[in-house]
Amino acid sequence: MAQSKWIQGKLLRKGVLRDHHGKWIIGFNRRLGLCSVLNAELWGILDGLTVLNIKNWDKVSIRTDRVE
């Protein structure tokens, strides 16, 4: 699960990785500056997949609340 938030005119992307029971595993964030909501969403997915790859997890389900 990830969310975007404007802080001092710049977009901050925050994300959380959870296990199959919904239990928190790790959180992450990235300051994106000026960008579209779609780009922020894609950065959140990429950052989450990067963390999963580093931890050698190979099964993943991506959920987002953005449908645009």
Side-chain angles (χ1 to χ4, degrees):
M1 181 177 158
Q3 70 182 119
S4 298
K5 182 177 180 181
W6 288 99
I7 297 179
Q8 297 177 347
K10 296 185 178 176
L11 195 61
L12 175 66
R13 184 68 180 172
K14 300 188 296 183
V16 174
L17 300 178
R18 299 182 183 273
D19 67 11
H20 61 285
H21 296 293
K23 185 177 176 185
W24 182 89
I25 297 172
I26 192 169
F28 57 91
N29 64 57
R30 175 189 292 263
R31 289 189 186 273
L32 297 173
L34 296 176
C35 69
S36 69
V37 173
L38 175 61
N39 282 341
E41 193 72 19
L42 293 174
W43 274 112
I45 292 169
L46 178 62
D47 288 342
L49 290 173
T50 300
V51 170
L52 292 171
N53 186 44
I54 290 168
K55 295 197 172 279
N56 292 318
W57 291 330
D58 57 358
K59 294 181 182 178
V60 62
S61 174
I62 299 171
R63 293 186 180 183
T64 179
D65 58 355
R66 305 284 180 200
V67 294
E68 299 90 24

